[in-house]
mmCIF file of all heavy atoms in Angstrom:
data_model
loop_
_atom_site.group_PDB
_atom_site.id
_atom_site.type_symbol
_atom_site.label_atom_id
_atom_site.label_comp_id
_atom_site.label_asym_id
_atom_site.label_seq_id
_atom_site.Cartn_x
_atom_site.Cartn_y
_atom_site.Cartn_z
ATOM 1 N N MET C 27 -4.617 -5.173 38.021
ATOM 2 C CA MET C 27 -5.215 -3.799 37.893
ATOM 3 C C MET C 27 -4.453 -2.749 38.518
ATOM 4 O O MET C 27 -4.121 -1.624 38.111
ATOM 5 C CB MET C 27 -6.602 -3.748 38.229
ATOM 6 C CG MET C 27 -7.320 -2.429 37.690
ATOM 7 S SD MET C 27 -9.030 -2.385 38.172
ATOM 8 C CE MET C 27 -8.859 -2.068 40.061
ATOM 9 N N LYS C 28 -4.132 -2.957 39.844
ATOM 10 C CA LYS C 28 -3.506 -1.889 40.619
ATOM 11 C C LYS C 28 -2.066 -1.734 40.158
ATOM 12 O O LYS C 28 -1.533 -0.596 40.100
ATOM 13 C CB LYS C 28 -3.602 -2.438 42.114
ATOM 14 C CG LYS C 28 -4.868 -2.106 42.777
ATOM 15 C CD LYS C 28 -4.844 -2.547 44.209
ATOM 16 C CE LYS C 28 -6.234 -2.409 44.751
ATOM 17 N NZ LYS C 28 -6.347 -2.787 46.241
ATOM 18 N N GLU C 29 -1.362 -2.816 39.824
ATOM 19 C CA GLU C 29 -0.085 -2.645 39.173
ATOM 20 C C GLU C 29 -0.090 -1.832 37.957
ATOM 21 O O GLU C 29 0.787 -1.031 37.638
ATOM 22 C CB GLU C 29 0.482 -4.056 38.850
ATOM 23 C CG GLU C 29 1.022 -4.825 40.156
ATOM 24 C CD GLU C 29 1.327 -6.225 39.884
ATOM 25 O OE1 GLU C 29 1.278 -6.675 38.750
ATOM 26 O OE2 GLU C 29 1.725 -6.989 40.861
ATOM 27 N N GLY C 30 -1.100 -2.181 37.015
ATOM 28 C CA GLY C 30 -1.344 -1.502 35.775
ATOM 29 C C GLY C 30 -1.515 -0.046 36.038
ATOM 30 O O GLY C 30 -0.941 0.929 35.348
ATOM 31 N N GLU C 31 -2.482 0.283 36.955
ATOM 32 C CA GLU C 31 -2.731 1.728 37.184
ATOM 33 C C GLU C 31 -1.471 2.344 37.792
ATOM 34 O O GLU C 31 -1.199 3.569 37.471
ATOM 35 C CB GLU C 31 -3.829 1.665 38.297
ATOM 36 C CG GLU C 31 -5.236 1.380 37.654
ATOM 37 C CD GLU C 31 -6.334 1.357 38.734
ATOM 38 O OE1 GLU C 31 -6.018 1.258 39.897
ATOM 39 O OE2 GLU C 31 -7.458 1.523 38.341
ATOM 40 N N ALA C 32 -0.691 1.670 38.691
ATOM 41 C CA ALA C 32 0.568 2.311 39.171
ATOM 42 C C ALA C 32 1.572 2.590 38.014
ATOM 43 O O ALA C 32 2.201 3.642 37.941
ATOM 44 C CB ALA C 32 1.232 1.357 40.282
ATOM 45 N N GLU C 33 1.676 1.585 37.137
ATOM 46 C CA GLU C 33 2.635 1.907 35.996
ATOM 47 C C GLU C 33 2.124 2.932 35.170
ATOM 48 O O GLU C 33 2.896 3.864 34.595
ATOM 49 C CB GLU C 33 2.755 0.608 35.174
ATOM 50 C CG GLU C 33 3.879 0.645 34.153
ATOM 51 C CD GLU C 33 4.220 -0.593 33.400
ATOM 52 O OE1 GLU C 33 3.746 -1.694 33.883
ATOM 53 O OE2 GLU C 33 4.783 -0.598 32.372
ATOM 54 N N LEU C 34 0.696 2.983 34.883
ATOM 55 C CA LEU C 34 0.180 4.168 34.016
ATOM 56 C C LEU C 34 0.417 5.355 34.809
ATOM 57 O O LEU C 34 0.884 6.364 34.115
ATOM 58 C CB LEU C 34 -1.275 3.871 33.909
ATOM 59 C CG LEU C 34 -2.113 4.806 33.123
ATOM 60 C CD1 LEU C 34 -1.512 4.849 31.633
ATOM 61 C CD2 LEU C 34 -3.450 4.413 33.177
ATOM 62 N N ALA C 35 0.236 5.585 36.059
ATOM 63 C CA ALA C 35 0.537 6.856 36.813
ATOM 64 C C ALA C 35 2.009 7.226 36.660
ATOM 65 O O ALA C 35 2.284 8.315 36.455
ATOM 66 C CB ALA C 35 0.064 6.631 38.245
ATOM 67 N N ARG C 36 2.907 6.109 36.766
ATOM 68 C CA ARG C 36 4.263 6.444 36.701
ATOM 69 C C ARG C 36 4.678 7.020 35.342
ATOM 70 O O ARG C 36 5.378 7.950 35.102
ATOM 71 C CB ARG C 36 5.098 5.167 36.953
ATOM 72 C CG ARG C 36 6.594 5.445 37.096
ATOM 73 C CD ARG C 36 7.415 4.096 37.171
ATOM 74 N NE ARG C 36 7.136 3.140 36.088
ATOM 75 C CZ ARG C 36 7.749 3.126 34.941
ATOM 76 N NH1 ARG C 36 8.485 4.121 34.679
ATOM 77 N NH2 ARG C 36 7.379 2.249 34.135
ATOM 78 N N LEU C 37 4.159 6.279 34.225
ATOM 79 C CA LEU C 37 4.363 6.829 32.934
ATOM 80 C C LEU C 37 3.780 8.205 32.645
ATOM 81 O O LEU C 37 4.380 8.987 32.009
ATOM 82 C CB LEU C 37 3.754 5.782 31.841
ATOM 83 C CG LEU C 37 4.443 4.461 31.650
ATOM 84 C CD1 LEU C 37 3.675 3.450 30.794
ATOM 85 C CD2 LEU C 37 5.856 4.590 31.154
ATOM 86 N N ARG C 38 2.703 8.469 33.215
ATOM 87 C CA ARG C 38 2.121 9.797 33.121
ATOM 88 C C ARG C 38 3.040 10.943 33.814
ATOM 89 O O ARG C 38 3.151 12.112 33.264
ATOM 90 C CB ARG C 38 0.719 9.896 33.596
ATOM 91 C CG ARG C 38 -0.288 9.219 32.687
ATOM 92 C CD ARG C 38 -1.771 9.339 33.344
ATOM 93 N NE ARG C 38 -2.685 8.557 32.439
ATOM 94 C CZ ARG C 38 -3.833 8.185 32.877
ATOM 95 N NH1 ARG C 38 -4.175 8.389 34.168
ATOM 96 N NH2 ARG C 38 -4.686 7.579 32.038
ATOM 97 N N SER C 39 3.577 10.530 34.914
ATOM 98 C CA SER C 39 4.362 11.533 35.678
ATOM 99 C C SER C 39 5.707 11.752 34.961
ATOM 100 O O SER C 39 6.230 12.866 35.138
ATOM 101 C CB SER C 39 4.522 10.995 37.123
ATOM 102 O OG SER C 39 5.386 9.758 37.175
ATOM 103 N N VAL C 40 6.226 10.813 34.347
ATOM 104 C CA VAL C 40 7.562 10.979 33.656
ATOM 105 C C VAL C 40 7.165 11.787 32.331
ATOM 106 O O VAL C 40 6.097 11.576 31.872
ATOM 107 C CB VAL C 40 8.084 9.667 33.287
ATOM 108 C CG1 VAL C 40 9.382 9.821 32.471
ATOM 109 C CG2 VAL C 40 8.481 8.853 34.533
ATOM 110 N N GLU C 41 8.115 12.536 31.845
ATOM 111 C CA GLU C 41 7.845 13.226 30.748
ATOM 112 C C GLU C 41 7.426 12.267 29.610
ATOM 113 O O GLU C 41 8.334 11.396 29.298
ATOM 114 C CB GLU C 41 9.087 14.042 30.239
ATOM 115 C CG GLU C 41 9.406 15.228 31.170
ATOM 116 C CD GLU C 41 10.550 16.154 30.716
ATOM 117 O OE1 GLU C 41 10.804 15.986 29.503
ATOM 118 O OE2 GLU C 41 11.136 16.639 31.564
ATOM 119 N N GLY C 42 6.296 12.362 29.184
ATOM 120 C CA GLY C 42 5.713 11.329 28.313
ATOM 121 C C GLY C 42 5.466 11.945 26.897
ATOM 122 O O GLY C 42 4.467 11.537 26.405
ATOM 123 N N ASP C 43 6.328 12.543 26.396
ATOM 124 C CA ASP C 43 6.238 13.049 24.906
ATOM 125 C C ASP C 43 6.627 11.979 23.967
ATOM 126 O O ASP C 43 6.290 12.277 22.746
ATOM 127 C CB ASP C 43 7.012 14.453 24.764
ATOM 128 C CG ASP C 43 6.342 15.522 25.503
ATOM 129 O OD1 ASP C 43 5.046 15.425 25.883
ATOM 130 O OD2 ASP C 43 7.021 16.464 25.807
ATOM 131 N N LYS C 44 7.355 10.986 24.371
ATOM 132 C CA LYS C 44 7.818 10.024 23.494
ATOM 133 C C LYS C 44 6.591 9.197 22.971
ATOM 134 O O LYS C 44 5.647 8.903 23.676
ATOM 135 C CB LYS C 44 8.837 9.198 24.148
ATOM 136 C CG LYS C 44 10.145 9.873 24.570
ATOM 137 C CD LYS C 44 11.122 8.940 25.220
ATOM 138 C CE LYS C 44 12.151 9.727 25.694
ATOM 139 N NZ LYS C 44 13.091 8.920 26.497
ATOM 140 N N LEU C 45 6.681 8.833 21.749
ATOM 141 C CA LEU C 45 5.525 8.066 21.107
ATOM 142 C C LEU C 45 5.509 6.675 21.724
ATOM 143 O O LEU C 45 4.361 6.166 21.889
ATOM 144 C CB LEU C 45 5.901 7.925 19.588
ATOM 145 C CG LEU C 45 4.792 7.307 18.675
ATOM 146 C CD1 LEU C 45 3.567 7.998 18.867
ATOM 147 C CD2 LEU C 45 5.326 7.244 17.324
ATOM 148 N N ALA C 46 6.593 6.024 21.974
ATOM 149 C CA ALA C 46 6.519 4.646 22.649
ATOM 150 C C ALA C 46 5.758 4.683 23.954
ATOM 151 O O ALA C 46 4.979 3.776 24.218
ATOM 152 C CB ALA C 46 7.879 4.037 22.829
ATOM 153 N N GLU C 47 6.007 5.659 24.795
ATOM 154 C CA GLU C 47 5.366 5.739 26.132
ATOM 155 C C GLU C 47 3.954 6.025 25.935
ATOM 156 O O GLU C 47 3.142 5.514 26.701
ATOM 157 C CB GLU C 47 6.021 6.836 26.938
ATOM 158 C CG GLU C 47 7.414 6.476 27.403
ATOM 159 C CD GLU C 47 8.216 7.562 28.210
ATOM 160 O OE1 GLU C 47 7.620 8.739 28.277
ATOM 161 O OE2 GLU C 47 9.203 7.308 28.772
ATOM 162 N N GLN C 48 3.571 6.851 24.941
ATOM 163 C CA GLN C 48 2.059 7.073 24.643
ATOM 164 C C GLN C 48 1.394 5.873 24.245
ATOM 165 O O GLN C 48 0.242 5.510 24.710
ATOM 166 C CB GLN C 48 1.988 8.168 23.637
ATOM 167 C CG GLN C 48 2.449 9.584 24.116
ATOM 168 C CD GLN C 48 2.244 10.542 23.011
ATOM 169 O OE1 GLN C 48 1.970 10.263 21.899
ATOM 170 N NE2 GLN C 48 2.447 11.870 23.340
ATOM 171 N N ASP C 49 2.123 5.008 23.394
ATOM 172 C CA ASP C 49 1.482 3.733 23.032
ATOM 173 C C ASP C 49 1.224 2.755 24.158
ATOM 174 O O ASP C 49 0.253 2.050 24.443
ATOM 175 C CB ASP C 49 2.428 3.060 21.900
ATOM 176 C CG ASP C 49 2.106 3.743 20.660
ATOM 177 O OD1 ASP C 49 1.274 4.602 20.353
ATOM 178 O OD2 ASP C 49 3.083 3.610 19.733
ATOM 179 N N ARG C 50 2.431 2.643 24.931
ATOM 180 C CA ARG C 50 2.345 1.780 26.207
ATOM 181 C C ARG C 50 1.190 2.250 27.150
ATOM 182 O O ARG C 50 0.506 1.532 27.722
ATOM 183 C CB ARG C 50 3.697 1.853 26.892
ATOM 184 C CG ARG C 50 3.767 0.961 28.180
ATOM 185 C CD ARG C 50 3.658 -0.467 27.787
ATOM 186 N NE ARG C 50 3.736 -1.198 29.025
ATOM 187 C CZ ARG C 50 3.104 -2.369 29.343
ATOM 188 N NH1 ARG C 50 2.329 -2.910 28.442
ATOM 189 N NH2 ARG C 50 3.230 -3.002 30.516
ATOM 190 N N SER C 51 1.073 3.549 27.259
ATOM 191 C CA SER C 51 0.088 4.127 28.149
ATOM 192 C C SER C 51 -1.331 3.787 27.627
ATOM 193 O O SER C 51 -2.329 3.384 28.446
ATOM 194 C CB SER C 51 0.245 5.751 28.226
ATOM 195 O OG SER C 51 -0.750 6.296 28.814
ATOM 196 N N ALA C 52 -1.547 3.905 26.361
ATOM 197 C CA ALA C 52 -2.906 3.655 25.731
ATOM 198 C C ALA C 52 -3.094 2.121 25.820
ATOM 199 O O ALA C 52 -4.282 1.762 26.249
ATOM 200 C CB ALA C 52 -2.931 4.040 24.360
ATOM 201 N N GLN C 53 -2.090 1.359 25.695
ATOM 202 C CA GLN C 53 -2.284 -0.065 25.862
ATOM 203 C C GLN C 53 -2.707 -0.441 27.380
ATOM 204 O O GLN C 53 -3.513 -1.332 27.615
ATOM 205 C CB GLN C 53 -0.977 -0.821 25.488
ATOM 206 C CG GLN C 53 -1.094 -2.388 25.681
ATOM 207 C CD GLN C 53 0.279 -2.987 25.289
ATOM 208 O OE1 GLN C 53 1.326 -2.377 24.978
ATOM 209 N NE2 GLN C 53 0.341 -4.363 25.340
ATOM 210 N N LEU C 54 -1.991 0.196 28.311
ATOM 211 C CA LEU C 54 -2.258 -0.082 29.704
ATOM 212 C C LEU C 54 -3.714 0.426 30.074
ATOM 213 O O LEU C 54 -4.312 -0.273 30.878
ATOM 214 C CB LEU C 54 -1.205 0.623 30.636
ATOM 215 C CG LEU C 54 0.118 0.002 30.655
ATOM 216 C CD1 LEU C 54 1.128 0.826 31.348
ATOM 217 C CD2 LEU C 54 0.101 -1.516 31.286
ATOM 218 N N GLU C 55 -4.171 1.490 29.475
ATOM 219 C CA GLU C 55 -5.523 2.003 29.828
ATOM 220 C C GLU C 55 -6.478 0.918 29.305
ATOM 221 O O GLU C 55 -7.535 0.674 29.923
ATOM 222 C CB GLU C 55 -5.613 3.381 29.111
ATOM 223 C CG GLU C 55 -4.941 4.473 29.925
ATOM 224 C CD GLU C 55 -5.176 5.720 29.198
ATOM 225 O OE1 GLU C 55 -5.909 5.804 28.145
ATOM 226 O OE2 GLU C 55 -4.614 6.801 29.713
ATOM 227 N N LYS C 56 -6.186 0.375 28.004
ATOM 228 C CA LYS C 56 -7.093 -0.666 27.526
ATOM 229 C C LYS C 56 -7.047 -1.937 28.373
ATOM 230 O O LYS C 56 -8.135 -2.469 28.726
ATOM 231 C CB LYS C 56 -6.666 -1.095 26.100
ATOM 232 C CG LYS C 56 -6.938 -0.027 25.075
ATOM 233 C CD LYS C 56 -6.480 -0.488 23.596
ATOM 234 C CE LYS C 56 -6.757 0.593 22.746
ATOM 235 N NZ LYS C 56 -6.194 0.121 21.242
ATOM 236 N N GLU C 57 -5.954 -2.303 28.996
ATOM 237 C CA GLU C 57 -5.811 -3.448 29.828
ATOM 238 C C GLU C 57 -6.593 -3.175 31.131
ATOM 239 O O GLU C 57 -7.262 -4.130 31.562
ATOM 240 C CB GLU C 57 -4.354 -3.824 30.156
ATOM 241 C CG GLU C 57 -3.619 -4.625 29.086
ATOM 242 C CD GLU C 57 -2.188 -4.933 29.467
ATOM 243 O OE1 GLU C 57 -2.032 -5.333 30.696
ATOM 244 O OE2 GLU C 57 -1.428 -4.953 28.670
ATOM 245 N N VAL C 58 -6.406 -2.043 31.679
ATOM 246 C CA VAL C 58 -7.088 -1.690 32.916
ATOM 247 C C VAL C 58 -8.616 -1.724 32.645
ATOM 248 O O VAL C 58 -9.365 -2.333 33.476
ATOM 249 C CB VAL C 58 -6.617 -0.343 33.495
ATOM 250 C CG1 VAL C 58 -7.526 0.230 34.458
ATOM 251 C CG2 VAL C 58 -5.267 -0.410 34.007
ATOM 252 N N ALA C 59 -9.076 -1.206 31.491
ATOM 253 C CA ALA C 59 -10.469 -1.202 31.251
ATOM 254 C C ALA C 59 -10.982 -2.566 31.110
ATOM 255 O O ALA C 59 -12.074 -3.012 31.700
ATOM 256 C CB ALA C 59 -10.812 -0.400 30.014
ATOM 257 N N MET C 60 -10.242 -3.449 30.382
ATOM 258 C CA MET C 60 -10.571 -4.879 30.257
ATOM 259 C C MET C 60 -10.660 -5.595 31.600
ATOM 260 O O MET C 60 -11.483 -6.466 31.809
ATOM 261 C CB MET C 60 -9.596 -5.552 29.199
ATOM 262 C CG MET C 60 -9.972 -6.976 28.827
ATOM 263 S SD MET C 60 -8.919 -7.541 27.573
ATOM 264 C CE MET C 60 -7.328 -7.844 28.524
ATOM 265 N N LEU C 61 -9.630 -5.293 32.423
ATOM 266 C CA LEU C 61 -9.602 -6.004 33.697
ATOM 267 C C LEU C 61 -10.679 -5.585 34.516
ATOM 268 O O LEU C 61 -11.329 -6.314 35.372
ATOM 269 C CB LEU C 61 -8.205 -5.666 34.448
ATOM 270 C CG LEU C 61 -7.063 -6.418 33.804
ATOM 271 C CD1 LEU C 61 -5.672 -5.879 34.454
ATOM 272 C CD2 LEU C 61 -7.070 -7.837 33.956
ATOM 273 N N ARG C 62 -11.095 -4.329 34.478
ATOM 274 C CA ARG C 62 -12.261 -3.873 35.226
ATOM 275 C C ARG C 62 -13.536 -4.537 34.858
ATOM 276 O O ARG C 62 -14.365 -4.987 35.646
ATOM 277 C CB ARG C 62 -12.460 -2.304 35.148
ATOM 278 C CG ARG C 62 -11.548 -1.502 36.025
ATOM 279 C CD ARG C 62 -11.853 -0.030 35.951
ATOM 280 N NE ARG C 62 -10.996 0.603 36.714
ATOM 281 C CZ ARG C 62 -10.304 1.784 36.436
ATOM 282 N NH1 ARG C 62 -10.576 2.373 35.184
ATOM 283 N NH2 ARG C 62 -9.481 2.313 37.191
ATOM 284 N N GLU C 63 -13.666 -4.747 33.435
ATOM 285 C CA GLU C 63 -14.789 -5.530 32.989
ATOM 286 C C GLU C 63 -14.836 -6.994 33.486
ATOM 287 O O GLU C 63 -15.810 -7.521 33.798
ATOM 288 C CB GLU C 63 -14.662 -5.395 31.438
ATOM 289 C CG GLU C 63 -16.067 -6.025 30.764
ATOM 290 C CD GLU C 63 -16.023 -5.868 29.204
ATOM 291 O OE1 GLU C 63 -15.549 -4.830 28.816
ATOM 292 O OE2 GLU C 63 -16.470 -6.764 28.593
ATOM 293 N N LYS C 64 -13.611 -7.594 33.438
ATOM 294 C CA LYS C 64 -13.503 -9.003 33.946
ATOM 295 C C LYS C 64 -13.847 -9.056 35.405
ATOM 296 O O LYS C 64 -14.602 -9.962 35.822
ATOM 297 C CB LYS C 64 -12.145 -9.546 33.755
ATOM 298 C CG LYS C 64 -11.829 -9.965 32.299
ATOM 299 C CD LYS C 64 -10.456 -10.593 32.243
ATOM 300 C CE LYS C 64 -10.121 -11.056 30.855
ATOM 301 N NZ LYS C 64 -8.865 -11.758 30.796
ATOM 302 N N ILE C 65 -13.353 -8.078 36.204
ATOM 303 C CA ILE C 65 -13.708 -8.034 37.621
ATOM 304 C C ILE C 65 -15.124 -7.858 37.800
ATOM 305 O O ILE C 65 -15.802 -8.672 38.760
ATOM 306 C CB ILE C 65 -12.877 -6.902 38.390
ATOM 307 C CG1 ILE C 65 -11.476 -7.289 38.428
ATOM 308 C CG2 ILE C 65 -13.396 -6.662 39.712
ATOM 309 C CD1 ILE C 65 -10.459 -6.284 38.866
ATOM 310 N N HIS C 66 -15.803 -6.991 37.022
ATOM 311 C CA HIS C 66 -17.231 -6.838 37.279
ATOM 312 C C HIS C 66 -18.015 -8.125 36.892
ATOM 313 O O HIS C 66 -18.900 -8.559 37.610
ATOM 314 C CB HIS C 66 -17.691 -5.680 36.258
ATOM 315 C CG HIS C 66 -19.189 -5.421 36.420
ATOM 316 N ND1 HIS C 66 -19.770 -4.887 37.447
ATOM 317 C CD2 HIS C 66 -20.142 -5.636 35.392
ATOM 318 C CE1 HIS C 66 -21.052 -4.752 37.202
ATOM 319 N NE2 HIS C 66 -21.328 -5.240 35.986
ATOM 320 N N HIS C 67 -17.570 -8.779 35.844
ATOM 321 C CA HIS C 67 -18.271 -10.120 35.477
ATOM 322 C C HIS C 67 -18.013 -11.161 36.506
ATOM 323 O O HIS C 67 -18.889 -11.922 36.850
ATOM 324 C CB HIS C 67 -17.590 -10.526 34.179
ATOM 325 C CG HIS C 67 -18.057 -11.810 33.547
ATOM 326 N ND1 HIS C 67 -19.347 -12.007 33.158
ATOM 327 C CD2 HIS C 67 -17.453 -12.989 33.450
ATOM 328 C CE1 HIS C 67 -19.550 -13.242 32.783
ATOM 329 N NE2 HIS C 67 -18.490 -13.905 32.910
ATOM 330 N N LEU C 68 -16.712 -11.273 37.151
ATOM 331 C CA LEU C 68 -16.509 -12.108 38.136
ATOM 332 C C LEU C 68 -17.424 -11.919 39.418
ATOM 333 O O LEU C 68 -17.872 -12.876 39.955
ATOM 334 C CB LEU C 68 -15.000 -12.077 38.389
ATOM 335 C CG LEU C 68 -14.099 -13.077 37.543
ATOM 336 C CD1 LEU C 68 -12.684 -12.828 37.967
ATOM 337 C CD2 LEU C 68 -14.500 -14.449 37.632
ATOM 338 N N ASP C 69 -17.480 -10.564 39.713
ATOM 339 C CA ASP C 69 -18.338 -10.236 40.801
ATOM 340 C C ASP C 69 -19.720 -10.823 40.683
ATOM 341 O O ASP C 69 -20.347 -11.294 41.553
ATOM 342 C CB ASP C 69 -18.337 -8.720 40.948
ATOM 343 C CG ASP C 69 -17.066 -8.232 41.714
ATOM 344 O OD1 ASP C 69 -16.400 -9.062 42.346
ATOM 345 O OD2 ASP C 69 -16.658 -7.019 41.614
ATOM 346 N N ASP C 70 -20.199 -10.531 39.424
ATOM 347 C CA ASP C 70 -21.484 -11.010 39.134
ATOM 348 C C ASP C 70 -21.746 -12.509 39.281
ATOM 349 O O ASP C 70 -22.657 -13.000 39.820
ATOM 350 C CB ASP C 70 -21.998 -10.539 37.798
ATOM 351 C CG ASP C 70 -22.238 -9.039 37.589
ATOM 352 O OD1 ASP C 70 -22.386 -8.400 38.715
ATOM 353 O OD2 ASP C 70 -22.410 -8.582 36.445
#
């Protein structure tokens, strides 16, 4: 999750007008959300 967040932050900081970067960013956000949900489930 931290690696994904770091990559997401890096992608956001770079000029991100390209369509591929936006798709990757959306995909990483989904992965981060999914990982947070898994972590919450594992904690329980």
Side-chain angles (χ1 to χ4, degrees):
M27 183 183 74
K28 287 181 182 179
E29 288 172 357
E31 287 175 340
E33 187 175 344
L34 183 61
R36 186 185 58 79
L37 286 175
R38 285 182 183 159
S39 67
V40 175
E41 289 184 25
D43 290 339
K44 295 178 186 175
L45 185 59
E47 289 178 352
Q48 289 176 353
D49 288 342
R50 179 70 179 144
S51 176
Q53 182 185 358
L54 286 173
E55 285 178 7
K56 286 179 185 177
E57 279 186 39
V58 167
M60 189 174 68
L61 289 172
R62 281 189 179 133
E63 188 176 322
K64 281 185 178 181
I65 288 171
H66 180 70
H67 179 69
L68 277 175
D69 282 342
D70 289 345

